[in-house]
Amino acid sequence: MNKQSDTLTKGQQLIPNGMLDDNAPRNMWWCAAHVDEITEEPLARWLLEKPVVLYRLSDGTPVALDDRCPHRWAPLSEGEVKNDQIVCPYHGMEFGADGMCSKVPTQKSIPKSAKVQSYPLRTSGAFVWIWMGDPEAIDHEPVEMGFTTDPGWSVITGYMEVAANWVLIRENVLDLTHIAFLHSNTFQQDDWENPPEVSMQGDTIVYEQDFPPSPLSPLFCAAFGFEDKKIVKREQRGWMPSLAVSFSDWNIHDLDAGPDKRRDFIGRGAHIVTPGERGKTHYFFVASFDSPNAPVEILEKTKAGVISAFNEDKDLLQKIQARIMKDPRGLDFPEINLGADGAGVAVRRVLKRKLDAERGN
Amino acid sequence: MNKQSDTLTKGQQLIPNGMLDDNAPRNMWWCAAHVDEITEEPLARWLLEKPVVLYRLSDGTPVALDDRCPHRWAPLSEGEVKNDQIVCPYHGMEFGADGMCSKVPTQKSIPKSAKVQSYPLRTSGAFVWIWMGDPEAIDHEPVEMGFTTDPGWSVITGYMEVAANWVLIRENVLDLTHIAFLHSNTFQQDDWENPPEVSMQGDTIVYEQDFPPSPLSPLFCAAFGFEDKKIVKREQRGWMPSLAVSFSDWNIHDLDAGPDKRRDFIGRGAHIVTPGERGKTHYFFVASFDSPNAPVEILEKTKAGVISAFNEDKDLLQKIQARIMKDPRGLDFPEINLGADGAGVAVRRVLKRKLDAERGN
Amino acid sequence: MNKQSDTLTKGQQLIPNGMLDDNAPRNMWWCAAHVDEITEEPLARWLLEKPVVLYRLSDGTPVALDDRCPHRWAPLSEGEVKNDQIVCPYHGMEFGADGMCSKVPTQKSIPKSAKVQSYPLRTSGAFVWIWMGDPEAIDHEPVEMGFTTDPGWSVITGYMEVAANWVLIRENVLDLTHIAFLHSNTFQQDDWENPPEVSMQGDTIVYEQDFPPSPLSPLFCAAFGFEDKKIVKREQRGWMPSLAVSFSDWNIHDLDAGPDKRRDFIGRGAHIVTPGERGKTHYFFVASFDSPNAPVEILEKTKAGVISAFNEDKDLLQKIQARIMKDPRGLDFPEINLGADGAGVAVRRVLKRKLDAERGN
């Protein structure tokens, strides 16, 4: 057993989550950035523990390169993009989108080995996705995210850097029973008294849970066009098609809708996580509603509410991560699973299977 | 020889003090907190390199638990105490004073293994003491500290976090010859020209030293009811009954007391240290005087003076610790002992004996 | 092969530079301080990963001692110098310039082993140099720096702490082709289109490069007494007589000088680096001009310009160092050499030879 494969087998976790180590599979699409973040100004970002520079060519094509010049390792992101070449800030070497050096200012010949790694990118919805594993192993496209740019939807997106391993966020968003406690002042959705049904649909983890009529979280009433504390029937349905993305649908049924009025609404969250530096995660989130043209002020207020709730998660997860890192017992500590952990435990199984496959276990 | 026992045998210290490692015996009482710090609001504190949560039941009983929920390791100290149960902030699991889970909000059955470690606590004087070793090994009570709550005494207590190993504070307070140098501007007690007599009384280290008439430290004159620079005879007597606590008595004789006046006074210091995170120490101190009802303003001024002196120690010990941690030579550096190190060296012997016993050397 | 010698052989650098490790030879003179920094007030400074205290005796002799008292390891630099003895701030032990203890306040006998390491110092020009290796191995004097105190020169000196290994600064200052890119807004000297000639003169690395008439960097015009953007012929000549010091001469020829006017000018830079703590460097720099008595306000403005340019180097080198330290690939990353790297690569060869000799490879 090699050193890396120890990642998920040490400690007293029944199914380890590798939260103190590099536990990110490489042969999959992770989110590199929101589409608007990538421009002709280079963007420096740590992705899967590597420094990466992201920028756009003049035709709009996004590019991702290792952010270390192969000459003296200066960060290319400190340079500028000129004629679709990124120029190293130190000695002015230039590189194309394929990572090949195209110019050395002080000499005519260009060493063949003067190149940096270029990473495949794809755009899906409002996000740009990166493949940092073996490019030969690309066997699927990024998760379909069309609703995030669909004019039929009203869409909020946001970003947080979280100083915790990405899998802690995964486990968090796939067990919503924490909403009744951690978010009792924000979501105020306190009816999570039973665990959801969890199933696998192929490789996709799915959970489903129906709620009897009860007041809808004040975070979302305005965006749905309801008055505050509106009583609705609610079906929660979540699915995780990739370790990088999970969705959380709030299917709302208006019990008082007039005869010609709309009765059924969807509020769709997406939780997108990308490992950054060791122990840090880029967390992109989406909150969206299947009606067009929600007023900007309502979306802004909704976004502020969502952020205040997600900050509660961020704060707690960071405390967990920091504590485990500092505690000499680390992962060697009791851990029990509850009925509500079905989806979270499934995440660990999917993760272990994927890492084992990549690492040849 | 196991890894842990190496702690006290490496380096060039003749009797090593383990200052860069975990050098805290477990089977003894350490101070967890001042009694007033523990309330129904949970208090998070690192004790002997473990995160611990401290709180009080409605009947006043103090409780100490591992501050990691056994479900997903959230800090219980971020939750609240309700009906004598501490409620995890993440998914609402509840735990009793014995650490057993008493409620899981989303299910009826409670897993047997759903428990956290509960640590025995005792109250002695103004402090609460914790036993973090084998509870079966409890064979004594915490050090008697009754004077700290005795109405016949005027008592000052204080707390500092010091970024240095606890043994550096122990060695500091058991060799008072440093007062003439490090505290020449605060204590102004410059007559420490000889080492004290040091002896062992059972397991207790004792030092004693008589001083001819000389001006008393201005830090203490007011608290004793003397004018500034009062000439007194002075007997210094210290004893360390536990690695966690040492006392320092200033026995003062008033040479000019009138016939019906009091001649003999005691000023008693106590130095209480508890290892926290690696390389950090909780330092609780007491300065007390054997007369009741000293005016509050005099005690406040005395406390400010004591703190300014102890900050000189803190500052120097932190610099020593940081320097040794950063210097690649670490403990592998010459160290000599002087005559005045009798009590300090005895501390190291007591420590080594205790660690060897616990670690089965 | 011992652990230390691995320093320069791991990673994918063709000729490794050891930038993540202790890569400083010991048997040579490094700069301890500018002469004005050493006074009768002790100065604490990390040199070659050791804490050192620097001070001056009453006759002006500079002294360097290990900054750890051999008793309880307190920093001597926190004490004071009294009668040419440095007094430990903790228990008042005193030490002479040879590091021998001369007084223990609480006892008459002085333990023979009560001593700290004393390091040989030499003054050359405006700098004081330290030998931290085997004193028996001293076989040469520090680099001649007389021009820095020569009244025939106008001299600027400065200091920066740089959070990067010293060899990154060495490689930086020995490949000036970066000036056209990194310093395009400060030096504005954009005519470095070819690599210089590099040669070895004994152990000294030398580079030389002639430039056709072009505008002189605005950083230096005023100090030479020229109007801005003065067109001059320029010969750049640099040499590194020691890993600790390199020089950079700007030999300027005024093409329009009248018949009785001076035609030839020298601007001489010196780049002096000393390893401090791991990954940090003391960088002393000199910018000087071979004319006496340049007006103070011109020197101050020149110094400000030089600092703003050197801050560009500092900022970039710190980013490189931090990135390589954080990147799990570390030195295991492609690195190519260009024609302009002749002098920089020679630095690595000199370094490797010196370390191999010291470490017995």
Side-chain angles (χ1 to χ4, degrees), chain B residues 21-340:
Chain B
D21 298 298
D22 175 355
N23 61 345
R26 294 304 194 268
N27 287 334
M28 55 176 282
W29 295 100
W30 293 96
C31 181
H34 188 279
V35 287
D36 293 345
E37 288 182 293
I38 307 183
T39 69
E40 294 189 17
E41 285 290 308
L43 170 70
R45 180 162 280 169
W46 285 81
L47 297 173
L48 286 83
E49 305 198 9
K50 285 185 176 167
V52 174
V53 56
L54 297 157
Y55 58 95
R56 245 178 238 287
L57 303 183
S58 46
D59 70 358
T61 310
V63 177
L65 302 179
D66 262 349
D67 194 15
R68 288 174 65 169
C69 176
H71 173 225
R72 284 298 175 267
W73 301 348
L76 298 174
S77 54
E78 296 288 314
E80 56 180 345
V81 179
K82 244 174 56 184
N83 302 323
D84 287 353
Q85 309 298 303
I86 191 161
V87 184
C88 178
Y90 201 175
H91 301 92
M93 286 174 70
E94 301 187 7
F95 299 87
D98 57 358
M100 299 302 296
C101 178
S102 54
K103 182 175 174 185
V104 179
T106 50
Q107 64 191 56
K108 285 190 180 139
S109 73
I110 296 174
K112 269 191 221 165
S113 53
K115 62 184 173 194
V116 286
Q117 181 85 38
S118 171
Y119 297 99
L121 295 178
R122 297 279 192 283
T123 300
S124 173
F127 300 93
V128 177
W129 306 81
I130 190 168
W131 185 281
M132 297 190 72
D134 178 6
E136 302 291 317
I138 298 180
D139 56 358
H140 63 280
E141 289 301 298
V143 172
E144 213 286 307
M145 298 286 288
F147 73 99
T148 57
T149 47
D150 182 339
W153 288 67
S154 298
V155 178
I156 293 161
T157 63
Y159 170 83
M160 288 178 175
E161 191 180 64
V162 180
N165 186 274
W166 62 279
V167 78
L168 292 193
I169 303 179
R170 270 283 146 267
E171 298 182 13
N172 172 278
V173 297
L174 285 165
D175 175 10
L176 297 189
T177 66
H178 76 273
I179 287 183
F181 291 89
L182 188 57
H183 304 306
S184 61
N185 294 320
T186 47
F187 273 102
Q188 298 179 35
Q189 193 77 59
D190 296 345
D191 50 3
W192 255 285
E193 289 165 3
N194 301 293
E197 290 297 310
V198 174
S199 61
M200 296 298 295
Q201 298 186 2
D203 278 346
T204 298
I205 301 167
V206 178
Y207 68 81
E208 292 172 289
Q209 191 162 12
D210 287 343
F211 289 86
S214 66
L216 177 64
S217 169
L219 284 189
F220 298 141
C221 287
F224 281 117
F226 299 147
E227 77 273 11
D228 234 28
K229 305 198 179 172
K230 166 84 172 179
I231 306 288
V232 297
K233 269 188 65 183
R234 203 170 96 248
E235 186 203 68
Q236 299 276 160
R237 185 172 183 282
W239 68 105
M240 186 189 87
S242 153
L243 290 165
V245 196
S246 68
F247 298 96
S248 169
D249 273 10
W250 295 51
N251 295 303
I252 304 300
H253 307 275
D254 181 352
L255 303 166
D256 317 313
D260 301 332
K261 299 288 186 173
R262 185 176 177 188
R263 290 184 173 273
D264 296 327
F265 301 81
I266 305 174
R268 176 169 295 164
H271 305 283
I272 305 171
V273 293
T274 310
E277 298 172 36
R278 178 69 54 94
K280 291 190 181 168
T281 300
H282 307 284
Y283 175 33
F284 306 89
F285 59 85
V286 178
S288 59
F289 304 90
D290 68 339
S291 309
N293 303 321
V296 167
E297 64 273 16
I298 285 185
L299 290 181
E300 278 177 358
K301 202 179 151 219
T302 305
K303 180 169 178 174
V306 166
I307 287 176
S308 70
F310 289 2
N311 272 332
E312 292 169 332
D313 294 304
K314 172 179 170 166
D315 181 57
L316 188 76
L317 298 183
Q318 292 191 154
K319 284 193 168 111
I320 292 174
Q321 180 84 23
R323 193 165 290 251
I324 308 317
M325 287 171 71
K326 203 186 283 177
D327 189 334
R329 292 169 299 185
L331 304 180
D332 189 14
F333 192 84
E335 186 188 60
I336 56 157
N337 292 326
L338 302 176

Side-chain angles (χ1 to χ4, degrees), chain A residues 171-172 175 178 181-182 193 195 316 319 323-324 326-331 333-339 341 348, chain B residues 46 49-51 66-68 70-75 78 89-93 104-107 111 113-114 277:
Chain A
E171 298 182 14
N172 172 277
D175 174 11
H178 77 273
F181 291 91
L182 187 58
E193 289 164 4
L316 188 76
K319 285 195 168 108
R323 192 164 291 252
I324 309 316
K326 203 187 284 179
D327 189 334
R329 292 168 299 184
L331 305 180
F333 192 84
E335 187 187 60
I336 57 159
N337 291 326
L338 302 176
D341 289 313
R348 296 194 188 186
Chain B
W46 285 81
E49 305 198 9
K50 285 185 176 167
D66 262 349
D67 194 15
R68 288 174 65 169
H71 173 225
R72 284 298 175 267
W73 301 348
E78 296 288 314
Y90 201 175
H91 301 92
M93 286 174 70
V104 179
T106 50
Q107 64 191 56
S113 53
E277 298 172 36

